[in-house]
Amino acid sequence: MVRVKNGIQRHKRHKKFIGLAKGFRLGRKNVYKQVRLALVKQGQHAYKNRKEKKRDFRKLWIERLSAVIREKGNTYSSFIGTMTAKNIQLDRKVLSNIAVAFPAVFDKMYAEIVK
């Protein structure tokens, strides 16, 4: 009988996780137990920040729209309220991109919506 110690598989598994911790500092990059904890925490931050990213972009689009609409002497909330009442289903991302990239087109749209 030969004793099997599982060394090769264990080394391979540890090496895989340590590779994922590249760029971490101190023991979090090369001590297996700390690496596993660090990777779990990293996953939690990544999940949370994916959700925050969506919030941040929506805020940005609303700020851009609000600035353009305020120049025209109106408020963002009344503009969106008018759009909802007229059943215009353009989202804030599209409106913001049009307002920034094509101001003349947005002016025509604005005039049609508000009148």
Side-chain angles (χ1 to χ4, degrees), residues 29-92:
K29 72 173 179 277
N30 59 4
V31 178
Y32 178 71
K33 199 169 187 180
Q34 290 184 27
V35 165
R36 289 301 303 263
L37 295 173
L39 289 174
V40 168
K41 185 63 95 173
Q42 176 194 33
Q44 291 171 343
H45 288 308
Y47 177 83
K48 177 187 63 145
N49 290 334
R50 281 195 299 272
K51 306 298 173 193
E52 284 181 4
K53 183 179 176 183
K54 293 167 181 58
R55 275 183 250 156
D56 292 342
F57 270 107
R58 185 179 168 93
K59 271 196 280 191
L60 173 71
W61 300 326
I62 289 172
E63 284 176 17
R64 284 180 175 174
L65 269 176
S66 183
V68 171
I69 293 167
R70 248 185 276 116
E71 285 177 355
K72 299 178 185 328
N74 202 348
T75 62
Y76 169 80
S77 59
S78 64
F79 176 73
I80 293 296
T82 307
M83 284 185 57
T84 306
K86 293 187 175 186
N87 202 21
I88 299 171
Q89 296 180 343
L90 284 173
D91 62 357
R92 284 140 184 86

